């Protein structure tokens, strides 16, 4: 829809949100027929759903799941291999979504740069096109943070569904199990961040006088990794000490989004802003990253994760 609105082409019609917009209720040429699109589409989908639900097995899907192999592949028999198998689908999904968002925002960057250059009102805005890239990258970083928190939530799922107890009954330490999953999640959110930043840079290309933005975006993505690691460490700490409250880690991600997009415009003390780990990195690449802030975030992430490991070693399993 965004690409269609900016370039005034037919892409907007692929978005259901645009169907209501195209009724133009406050224009002189208001029209009713776009409302037929959601009505017809919803009716067709409901009919298909009813028809398919009548022929599938209860508790199963329309497509039957295939039986798994009798024996695990050699690469799945290690703790790291098991962790990779647990998280790879979710990481791939987040990466695909982040790349899609990056491509869309990158495709709009030239139009934004032209608007900033041609409109005197935009010229007074702090950052201009660079601020647009910084906000785009921030959105991708928030998606990577979501990837981290969702991945760590699977640890609690393994505890509740009973699969963790037989796993730890083998000659595997608690720290080894938790460390393997945390390592895979860390690689996952790093990959989501860097791949999406690369996609944004390639799509943006040469942005006016600023030149190729890919190196700056990749460097900024690297600078954000310790901030994402802090959010992940909070998820580990909650899992270690208060597993029933692990979902509270999403609050930190939401707070990062709130501060990232509207925090600088608020009349609040600096410490309120710095509760967000991403704020301490800086508004990159529009501004230079804060080396001190990045270093501090790295130390905090390691310390908070270590607290989580200690709690996981001390508590009962399962903990309901």
């Amino acid at each position: 829809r965004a690409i269609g609105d900016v370039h005034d082409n037919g892409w907007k019609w692929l978005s259901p949100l645009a169907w209501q917009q195209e009724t133009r209720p406050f224009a002189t040429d208001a029209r009713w027929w776009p409302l037929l699109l959601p009505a017809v589409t919803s009716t067709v989908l409901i009919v298909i759903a009813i028809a398919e639900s009548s022929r599938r097995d209860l508790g199963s899907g329309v497509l039957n799941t295939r039986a798994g192999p009798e024996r695990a592949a050699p690469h799945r028999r290690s703790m790291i291999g098991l962790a990779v198998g647990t998280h790879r689908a979710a990481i791939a999904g987040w990466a695909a979504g982040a790349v899609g968002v990056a491509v869309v925002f990158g495709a709009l960057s030239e139009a934004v740069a032209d608007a900033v250059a041609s409109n005197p009102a935009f010229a007074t805005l702090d950052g201009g096109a660079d601020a647009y890239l910084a906000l785009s990258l921030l959105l991708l970083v928030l998606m990577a943070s979501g990837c981290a928190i969702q991945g760590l939530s699977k640890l609690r799922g393994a505890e509740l569904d009973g699969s963790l107890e037989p796993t730890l009954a083998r000659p595997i330490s608690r720290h080894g199990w938790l460390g393997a999953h945390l390592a895979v999640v860390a690689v996952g959110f790093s990959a989501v961040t860097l791949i999406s930043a690369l996609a944004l840079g390639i799509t943006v290309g040469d942005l006016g006088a600023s030149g190729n933005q890919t190196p700056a975006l990749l460097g900024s993505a690297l600078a954000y990794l310790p901030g994402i690691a802090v959010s992940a460490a909070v998820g580990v700490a909650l899992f270690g000490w208060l597993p029933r409250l692990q979902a509270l880690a999403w609050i930190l991600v939401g707070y990062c989004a709130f501060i990232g997009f509207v925090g600088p415009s608020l009349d609040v003390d600096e410490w309120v802003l710095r509760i967000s780990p991403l704020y301490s990195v800086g508004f990159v690449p529009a501004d230079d990253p804060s080396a001190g802030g990045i270093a501090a975030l790295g130390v905090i992430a390691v310390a908070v994760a270590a607290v989580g490991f200690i709690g996981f070693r001390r508590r009962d399993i399962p903990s309901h």
Side-chain angles (χ1 to χ4, degrees), residues 180-267:
H181 282 274
L182 181 57
V184 172
V185 169
V187 172
F189 73 67
S190 299
V192 172
T193 305
L194 296 175
I195 292 173
S196 59
L198 178 61
L200 179 62
I202 293 174
T203 311
V204 169
D206 293 335
L207 193 60
S210 301
N212 193 325
Q213 298 295 311
T214 303
L217 287 169
L218 285 176
S220 301
L222 285 171
Y224 269 125
L225 292 182
I228 304 174
V230 171
S231 297
V234 170
V236 173
L238 288 171
F239 175 72
W241 290 94
L242 301 169
R244 287 175 291 182
L245 302 179
Q246 190 187 25
L248 293 179
W250 284 105
I251 295 179
L252 180 58
V253 177
Y255 188 81
C256 289
F258 176 77
I259 294 299
F261 290 114
V262 304
S265 63
L266 300 177
D267 185 17

Coordinates of all heavy atoms in Angstrom, one line a residue, residues 180-267:
A180 N 23.4 -23.5 24.7 CA 23.2 -23.9 23.3 C 22.1 -23.1 22.6 O 22.2 -22.6 21.5 CB 23.0 -25.4 23.1
H181 N 21.0 -23.1 23.4 CA 19.8 -22.4 22.8 C 20.1 -20.9 22.7 O 19.7 -20.2 21.7 CB 18.6 -22.6 23.7 CG 17.9 -24.0 23.4 ND1 17.0 -24.2 22.4 CD2 18.1 -25.2 24.0 CE1 16.6 -25.4 22.4 NE2 17.3 -26.1 23.4
L182 N 20.7 -20.3 23.7 CA 21.0 -18.9 23.7 C 22.0 -18.5 22.6 O 21.8 -17.5 21.9 CB 21.6 -18.4 25.1 CG 22.0 -17.0 25.2 CD1 20.7 -16.1 25.0 CD2 22.6 -16.7 26.6
A183 N 23.0 -19.4 22.3 CA 23.9 -19.2 21.2 C 23.2 -19.2 19.9 O 23.4 -18.3 19.0 CB 25.0 -20.2 21.2
V184 N 22.3 -20.1 19.7 CA 21.5 -20.2 18.4 C 20.6 -19.0 18.3 O 20.5 -18.4 17.2 CB 20.7 -21.5 18.3 CG1 19.8 -21.5 17.1 CG2 21.7 -22.7 18.2
V185 N 20.0 -18.6 19.3 CA 19.1 -17.4 19.3 C 19.9 -16.1 19.0 O 19.5 -15.3 18.2 CB 18.3 -17.2 20.6 CG1 17.7 -15.8 20.7 CG2 17.3 -18.3 20.8
A186 N 21.1 -16.0 19.6 CA 22.0 -14.9 19.4 C 22.4 -14.8 17.9 O 22.4 -13.7 17.3 CB 23.2 -14.9 20.3
V187 N 22.8 -16.0 17.4 CA 23.2 -16.0 15.9 C 22.0 -15.6 15.1 O 22.1 -14.9 14.1 CB 23.7 -17.4 15.5 CG1 23.9 -17.5 14.0 CG2 25.1 -17.6 16.2
G188 N 20.8 -16.1 15.5 CA 19.6 -15.8 14.8 C 19.2 -14.3 14.7 O 19.0 -13.8 13.6
F189 N 19.2 -13.7 15.9 CA 18.8 -12.2 15.8 C 19.9 -11.4 15.2 O 19.6 -10.4 14.6 CB 18.4 -11.7 17.2 CG 19.5 -11.5 18.2 CD1 20.5 -10.5 18.1 CD2 19.5 -12.2 19.4 CE1 21.5 -10.3 19.0 CE2 20.5 -12.0 20.4 CZ 21.5 -11.1 20.2
S190 N 21.2 -11.8 15.3 CA 22.2 -11.1 14.5 C 22.0 -11.3 13.0 O 22.2 -10.3 12.3 CB 23.6 -11.7 14.9 OG 23.8 -11.5 16.3
A191 N 21.7 -12.5 12.6 CA 21.5 -12.7 11.2 C 20.3 -11.9 10.7 O 20.3 -11.3 9.6 CB 21.2 -14.2 10.9
V192 N 19.2 -11.9 11.4 CA 18.0 -11.1 11.0 C 18.4 -9.6 10.9 O 18.0 -8.9 9.9 CB 16.9 -11.2 12.0 CG1 15.7 -10.3 11.7 CG2 16.4 -12.7 12.0
T193 N 19.1 -9.1 11.8 CA 19.5 -7.7 11.8 C 20.4 -7.4 10.6 O 20.2 -6.4 9.9 CB 20.3 -7.3 13.1 OG1 19.5 -7.6 14.2 CG2 20.6 -5.8 13.2
L194 N 21.5 -8.1 10.4 CA 22.4 -7.8 9.4 C 21.9 -8.1 8.0 O 22.1 -7.3 7.0 CB 23.7 -8.7 9.6 CG 24.5 -8.4 10.9 CD1 25.6 -9.3 11.1 CD2 25.0 -6.9 10.9
I195 N 21.1 -9.2 7.8 CA 20.5 -9.5 6.5 C 19.5 -8.4 6.1 O 19.5 -8.0 4.9 CB 19.9 -10.9 6.5 CG1 21.0 -11.9 6.6 CG2 19.1 -11.1 5.2 CD1 20.5 -13.4 6.8
S196 N 18.7 -8.0 7.0 CA 17.7 -7.0 6.7 C 18.4 -5.6 6.4 O 17.9 -4.9 5.6 CB 16.6 -6.9 7.8 OG 17.2 -6.6 9.0
A197 N 19.4 -5.3 7.2 CA 20.1 -4.1 7.0 C 20.8 -4.1 5.6 O 20.8 -3.1 4.9 CB 21.2 -3.8 8.1
L198 N 21.3 -5.2 5.2 CA 21.9 -5.4 3.9 C 20.9 -5.2 2.8 O 21.1 -4.5 1.8 CB 22.6 -6.7 3.7 CG 23.2 -7.1 2.4 CD1 24.3 -6.1 2.0 CD2 23.7 -8.5 2.4
A199 N 19.7 -5.8 3.0 CA 18.6 -5.6 2.0 C 18.2 -4.2 1.9 O 17.9 -3.7 0.8 CB 17.4 -6.5 2.4
L200 N 18.1 -3.5 3.1 CA 17.8 -2.1 3.0 C 18.8 -1.3 2.3 O 18.5 -0.4 1.5 CB 17.6 -1.5 4.5 CG 17.3 -0.1 4.6 CD1 15.9 0.2 4.0 CD2 17.3 0.3 6.1
G201 N 20.1 -1.5 2.6 CA 21.2 -0.8 1.9 C 21.2 -1.1 0.4 O 21.4 -0.1 -0.4
I202 N 21.0 -2.3 0.0 CA 21.0 -2.6 -1.5 C 19.8 -1.9 -2.2 O 19.9 -1.4 -3.3 CB 20.9 -4.1 -1.7 CG1 22.2 -4.8 -1.2 CG2 20.7 -4.5 -3.1 CD1 22.2 -6.3 -1.3
T203 N 18.6 -1.9 -1.5 CA 17.4 -1.3 -2.1 C 17.6 0.2 -2.2 O 17.2 0.8 -3.1 CB 16.2 -1.7 -1.3 OG1 16.2 -3.1 -1.0 CG2 14.9 -1.2 -2.0
V204 N 18.2 0.8 -1.1 CA 18.4 2.3 -1.1 C 19.4 2.7 -2.2 O 19.2 3.6 -2.9 CB 18.8 2.7 0.3 CG1 19.3 4.2 0.2 CG2 17.7 2.6 1.3
G205 N 20.5 1.9 -2.2 CA 21.6 2.3 -3.2 C 22.2 3.6 -2.9 O 22.5 4.0 -1.7
D206 N 22.4 4.4 -3.9 CA 23.0 5.7 -3.8 C 21.9 6.7 -3.5 O 21.0 7.0 -4.4 CB 23.8 6.1 -5.1 CG 25.0 5.3 -5.3 OD1 25.5 4.8 -4.3 OD2 25.4 5.2 -6.4
L207 N 21.9 7.3 -2.3 CA 20.9 8.2 -1.9 C 21.4 9.7 -2.0 O 21.9 10.3 -1.1 CB 20.4 8.0 -0.5 CG 19.2 8.6 0.0 CD1 18.0 8.2 -0.9 CD2 18.9 8.3 1.5
G208 N 21.3 10.2 -3.2 CA 21.7 11.6 -3.5 C 23.1 11.8 -3.2 O 24.0 11.0 -3.5
A209 N 23.4 12.9 -2.5 CA 24.8 13.3 -2.2 C 25.4 12.4 -1.1 O 26.6 12.3 -1.0 CB 24.9 14.7 -1.8
S210 N 24.6 11.6 -0.4 CA 25.1 10.8 0.6 C 25.8 9.5 0.1 O 26.5 8.9 0.9 CB 23.9 10.4 1.5 OG 23.3 11.5 2.1
G211 N 25.6 9.2 -1.2 CA 26.3 8.0 -1.7 C 25.6 6.7 -1.3 O 24.5 6.6 -0.8
N212 N 26.4 5.6 -1.5 CA 25.9 4.3 -1.1 C 25.8 4.2 0.4 O 26.7 4.4 1.2 CB 26.9 3.2 -1.6 CG 26.3 1.8 -1.6 OD1 25.6 1.5 -0.7 ND2 26.7 1.0 -2.6
Q213 N 24.6 3.7 0.8 CA 24.3 3.7 2.3 C 24.5 2.3 2.9 O 24.4 2.1 4.1 CB 22.8 4.0 2.5 CG 22.4 5.4 2.1 CD 23.1 6.5 2.9 OE1 23.1 6.4 4.1 NE2 23.8 7.4 2.3
T214 N 24.9 1.3 2.1 CA 25.0 -0.1 2.6 C 26.1 -0.2 3.7 O 25.8 -0.8 4.7 CB 25.4 -1.0 1.4 OG1 24.3 -1.0 0.5 CG2 25.5 -2.5 2.0
P215 N 27.3 0.4 3.5 CA 28.3 0.2 4.6 C 27.8 0.9 5.9 O 28.0 0.3 7.0 CB 29.5 0.9 4.0 CG 29.4 0.9 2.5 CD 27.9 1.0 2.3
A216 N 27.2 2.1 5.8 CA 26.8 2.8 7.0 C 25.6 2.0 7.7 O 25.6 1.9 8.9 CB 26.3 4.2 6.6
L217 N 24.7 1.4 6.9 CA 23.6 0.6 7.5 C 24.1 -0.6 8.2 O 23.7 -1.0 9.2 CB 22.6 0.3 6.4 CG 21.7 1.5 6.0 CD1 20.9 1.2 4.8 CD2 20.8 2.0 7.1
L218 N 25.1 -1.3 7.5 CA 25.7 -2.5 8.1 C 26.4 -2.2 9.4 O 26.3 -2.9 10.4 CB 26.6 -3.2 7.1 CG 25.9 -4.0 6.0 CD1 26.9 -4.5 5.0 CD2 25.0 -5.1 6.5
G219 N 27.2 -1.1 9.4 CA 27.9 -0.7 10.6 C 26.9 -0.3 11.7 O 27.1 -0.7 12.9
S220 N 25.8 0.3 11.4 CA 24.8 0.7 12.4 C 24.1 -0.5 12.9 O 23.8 -0.6 14.1 CB 23.8 1.7 11.8 OG 24.4 2.8 11.3
A221 N 23.9 -1.5 12.0 CA 23.2 -2.8 12.5 C 24.1 -3.5 13.5 O 23.7 -4.0 14.5 CB 22.9 -3.6 11.3
L222 N 25.4 -3.5 13.2 CA 26.4 -4.1 14.2 C 26.3 -3.4 15.5 O 26.4 -4.0 16.6 CB 27.8 -4.1 13.6 CG 28.1 -5.1 12.5 CD1 29.4 -4.8 11.9 CD2 28.0 -6.5 13.0
A223 N 26.2 -2.1 15.4 CA 26.2 -1.3 16.7 C 25.0 -1.6 17.5 O 25.0 -1.5 18.8 CB 26.3 0.2 16.4
Y224 N 23.9 -2.0 16.9 CA 22.6 -2.3 17.6 C 22.7 -3.6 18.3 O 21.8 -3.9 19.2 CB 21.5 -2.2 16.7 CG 20.8 -0.8 16.6 CD1 20.6 -0.2 15.3 CD2 20.3 -0.2 17.7 CE1 20.0 1.1 15.3 CE2 19.7 1.0 17.6 CZ 19.6 1.7 16.4 OH 18.9 2.9 16.3
L225 N 23.5 -4.5 17.9 CA 23.5 -5.9 18.4 C 23.6 -6.0 19.9 O 22.9 -6.8 20.5 CB 24.6 -6.8 17.7 CG 24.4 -7.0 16.2 CD1 25.5 -7.9 15.7 CD2 23.0 -7.6 15.9
P226 N 24.5 -5.2 20.6 CA 24.5 -5.3 22.0 C 23.2 -4.9 22.7 O 22.8 -5.4 23.7 CB 25.6 -4.4 22.4 CG 26.5 -4.3 21.2 CD 25.6 -4.4 20.1
G227 N 22.5 -3.9 22.1 CA 21.2 -3.5 22.6 C 20.2 -4.6 22.5 O 19.4 -4.8 23.4
I228 N 20.2 -5.3 21.3 CA 19.2 -6.5 21.2 C 19.6 -7.5 22.2 O 18.7 -8.2 22.8 CB 19.3 -7.0 19.8 CG1 19.0 -5.9 18.8 CG2 18.3 -8.2 19.6 CD1 19.2 -6.3 17.3
A229 N 20.9 -7.7 22.4 CA 21.4 -8.7 23.4 C 20.9 -8.5 24.8 O 20.6 -9.4 25.6 CB 22.9 -8.8 23.4
V230 N 20.8 -7.2 25.2 CA 20.2 -6.9 26.5 C 18.8 -7.3 26.6 O 18.4 -7.9 27.6 CB 20.3 -5.3 26.8 CG1 19.6 -5.0 28.0 CG2 21.8 -4.9 26.9
S231 N 18.0 -7.1 25.6 CA 16.6 -7.6 25.6 C 16.6 -9.1 25.7 O 15.8 -9.7 26.5 CB 15.8 -7.2 24.4 OG 15.7 -5.7 24.3
A232 N 17.4 -9.8 25.0 CA 17.5 -11.3 25.1 C 18.0 -11.7 26.5 O 17.4 -12.7 27.0 CB 18.5 -11.8 24.0
A233 N 18.9 -11.0 27.0 CA 19.4 -11.3 28.4 C 18.3 -11.2 29.4 O 18.2 -12.0 30.4 CB 20.6 -10.5 28.7
V234 N 17.4 -10.2 29.3 CA 16.3 -10.1 30.2 C 15.4 -11.3 30.1 O 14.9 -11.8 31.1 CB 15.6 -8.8 29.9 CG1 14.2 -8.7 30.7 CG2 16.4 -7.6 30.2
G235 N 15.2 -11.8 28.8 CA 14.4 -13.0 28.7 C 15.0 -14.2 29.3 O 14.3 -15.0 29.9
V236 N 16.3 -14.3 29.3 CA 17.0 -15.4 29.9 C 16.9 -15.3 31.5 O 16.7 -16.3 32.2 CB 18.5 -15.4 29.5 CG1 19.3 -16.4 30.3 CG2 18.6 -15.7 28.0
A237 N 17.0 -14.1 32.0 CA 16.9 -13.8 33.4 C 15.6 -14.2 33.9 O 15.4 -14.8 35.0 CB 17.3 -12.4 33.8
L238 N 14.5 -13.8 33.2 CA 13.2 -14.1 33.6 C 13.0 -15.6 33.6 O 12.3 -16.2 34.5 CB 12.2 -13.4 32.8 CG 12.1 -11.9 33.0 CD1 11.2 -11.3 31.9 CD2 11.5 -11.6 34.4
F239 N 13.5 -16.3 32.5 CA 13.3 -17.7 32.4 C 14.1 -18.4 33.6 O 13.6 -19.5 34.1 CB 13.9 -18.2 31.1 CG 13.9 -19.7 31.0 CD1 12.7 -20.4 30.8 CD2 15.1 -20.4 31.0 CE1 12.7 -21.8 30.7 CE2 15.1 -21.8 30.9 CZ 13.9 -22.5 30.7
G240 N 15.2 -17.9 34.0 CA 16.0 -18.5 35.0 C 15.3 -18.4 36.4 O 15.4 -19.3 37.2
W241 N 14.7 -17.2 36.7 CA 14.2 -16.9 38.0 C 12.7 -16.9 38.1 O 12.1 -17.4 39.1 CB 14.8 -15.6 38.5 CG 16.2 -15.7 38.8 CD1 17.3 -15.3 38.0 CD2 16.9 -16.1 40.1 NE1 18.5 -15.5 38.6 CE2 18.3 -16.0 39.9 CE3 16.4 -16.6 41.3 CZ2 19.2 -16.3 40.9 CZ3 17.3 -16.9 42.3 CH2 18.7 -16.8 42.1
L242 N 12.1 -16.3 37.1 CA 10.6 -16.2 37.2 C 10.0 -16.7 35.8 O 9.5 -15.9 35.0 CB 10.2 -14.7 37.4 CG 10.7 -14.1 38.7 CD1 10.5 -12.6 38.6 CD2 10.0 -14.7 39.9
P243 N 10.1 -18.0 35.6 CA 9.7 -18.5 34.3 C 8.3 -18.2 33.9 O 7.9 -18.0 32.7 CB 10.0 -20.0 34.4 CG 10.0 -20.3 35.9 CD 10.5 -19.1 36.5
R244 N 7.4 -18.2 34.9 CA 6.0 -17.9 34.6 C 5.8 -16.5 34.1 O 4.8 -16.1 33.5 CB 5.1 -18.1 35.8 CG 4.9 -19.6 36.1 CD 4.1 -19.8 37.4 NE 4.9 -19.4 38.6 CZ 4.5 -19.5 39.8 NH1 3.3 -20.0 40.1 NH2 5.3 -19.1 40.8
L245 N 6.8 -15.6 34.3 CA 6.7 -14.2 33.9 C 7.6 -13.9 32.7 O 7.9 -12.7 32.5 CB 7.0 -13.3 35.1 CG 6.1 -13.4 36.3 CD1 6.6 -12.4 37.4 CD2 4.6 -13.2 36.0
Q246 N 8.1 -14.9 32.1 CA 9.0 -14.6 31.0 C 8.5 -13.8 29.9 O 9.2 -13.0 29.2 CB 9.5 -16.0 30.4 CG 10.7 -15.8 29.4 CD 11.0 -17.1 28.7 OE1 10.2 -18.0 28.5 NE2 12.3 -17.2 28.2
A247 N 7.2 -13.8 29.7 CA 6.5 -13.0 28.6 C 6.7 -11.5 28.9 O 6.5 -10.7 28.0 CB 5.1 -13.4 28.5
L248 N 7.0 -11.1 30.1 CA 7.2 -9.7 30.4 C 8.4 -9.1 29.6 O 8.5 -7.9 29.5 CB 7.5 -9.5 31.9 CG 6.3 -9.8 32.8 CD1 6.7 -9.6 34.3 CD2 5.1 -8.9 32.5
A249 N 9.3 -10.0 29.1 CA 10.4 -9.4 28.3 C 9.8 -8.7 27.1 O 10.5 -7.8 26.5 CB 11.3 -10.6 27.8
W250 N 8.6 -9.0 26.6 CA 8.0 -8.3 25.5 C 7.8 -6.8 25.8 O 7.8 -5.9 25.0 CB 6.7 -8.9 25.0 CG 6.9 -10.2 24.2 CD1 6.7 -11.4 24.7 CD2 7.4 -10.3 22.9 NE1 7.0 -12.3 23.7 CE2 7.4 -11.6 22.6 CE3 7.7 -9.3 21.9 CZ2 7.8 -12.1 21.3 CZ3 8.0 -9.8 20.6 CH2 8.1 -11.2 20.4
I251 N 7.6 -6.5 27.1 CA 7.4 -5.1 27.5 C 8.6 -4.3 27.2 O 8.5 -3.1 26.8 CB 7.0 -5.1 29.0 CG1 5.7 -5.8 29.3 CG2 7.0 -3.6 29.5 CD1 5.3 -5.8 30.8
L252 N 9.8 -4.9 27.4 CA 11.0 -4.1 27.1 C 11.1 -3.8 25.6 O 11.5 -2.7 25.2 CB 12.2 -4.9 27.6 CG 13.6 -4.2 27.3 CD1 13.7 -2.9 28.0 CD2 14.7 -5.1 27.8
V253 N 10.7 -4.8 24.8 CA 10.7 -4.5 23.3 C 9.7 -3.4 23.0 O 10.1 -2.5 22.2 CB 10.4 -5.8 22.6 CG1 10.3 -5.6 21.1 CG2 11.4 -6.9 22.9
G254 N 8.6 -3.5 23.6 CA 7.6 -2.4 23.3 C 8.1 -1.1 23.8 O 7.9 0.0 23.2
Y255 N 8.8 -1.0 25.0 CA 9.3 0.2 25.5 C 10.4 0.8 24.5 O 10.5 2.0 24.3 CB 9.9 0.0 26.9 CG 10.3 1.3 27.6 CD1 9.4 2.1 28.2 CD2 11.6 1.7 27.6 CE1 9.7 3.2 28.9 CE2 12.0 2.8 28.2 CZ 11.0 3.6 28.9 OH 11.4 4.8 29.5
C256 N 11.2 -0.1 24.0 CA 12.2 0.3 23.0 C 11.6 0.9 21.8 O 12.1 1.9 21.3 CB 13.1 -0.9 22.6 SG 14.2 -1.5 23.9
A257 N 10.5 0.3 21.3 CA 9.8 0.9 20.2 C 9.2 2.3 20.5 O 9.3 3.2 19.7 CB 8.7 0.0 19.7
F258 N 8.6 2.4 21.7 CA 8.0 3.7 22.1 C 9.1 4.8 22.2 O 8.9 5.9 21.6 CB 7.3 3.5 23.4 CG 6.7 4.8 24.0 CD1 5.5 5.3 23.5 CD2 7.3 5.4 25.0 CE1 5.0 6.5 23.9 CE2 6.8 6.6 25.5 CZ 5.6 7.2 25.0
I259 N 10.2 4.5 22.9 CA 11.2 5.5 23.0 C 11.9 5.8 21.7 O 12.2 6.9 21.4 CB 12.2 5.0 24.1 CG1 11.6 4.9 25.5 CG2 13.5 5.9 24.1 CD1 11.1 6.2 26.0
G260 N 12.1 4.7 20.9 CA 12.7 4.9 19.6 C 12.0 5.9 18.7 O 12.6 6.7 18.0
F261 N 10.7 5.8 18.7 CA 9.9 6.6 17.7 C 9.4 7.9 18.3 O 9.3 8.9 17.5 CB 8.7 5.7 17.2 CG 9.1 4.6 16.3 CD1 8.9 3.3 16.7 CD2 9.7 4.8 15.1 CE1 9.3 2.2 15.9 CE2 10.1 3.8 14.3 CZ 9.9 2.5 14.7
V262 N 9.1 7.9 19.6 CA 8.5 9.2 20.1 C 9.3 9.7 21.3 O 9.0 10.8 21.8 CB 7.0 9.0 20.5 CG1 6.2 8.5 19.3 CG2 6.8 8.0 21.6
G263 N 10.2 8.9 21.8 CA 10.9 9.3 23.0 C 11.6 10.7 23.0 O 11.5 11.5 23.9
P264 N 12.4 10.9 21.9 CA 13.1 12.2 21.8 C 12.2 13.4 21.9 O 12.6 14.5 22.2 CB 13.9 12.1 20.5 CG 14.1 10.7 20.3 CD 12.8 10.0 20.8
S265 N 11.0 13.3 21.5 CA 10.0 14.4 21.5 C 9.4 14.6 22.8 O 8.6 15.6 23.0 CB 8.9 14.2 20.4 OG 8.2 13.1 20.7
L266 N 9.6 13.7 23.8 CA 9.0 13.8 25.1 C 9.8 14.7 26.0 O 11.1 14.7 25.9 CB 8.8 12.4 25.7 CG 7.9 11.4 24.9 CD1 7.9 10.1 25.6 CD2 6.5 12.0 24.8
D267 N 9.2 15.4 26.9 CA 9.9 16.2 27.9 C 10.1 15.4 29.2 O 9.4 15.5 30.2 CB 9.1 17.5 28.2 CG 9.8 18.4 29.1 OD1 11.1 18.3 29.3 OD2 9.2 19.3 29.7

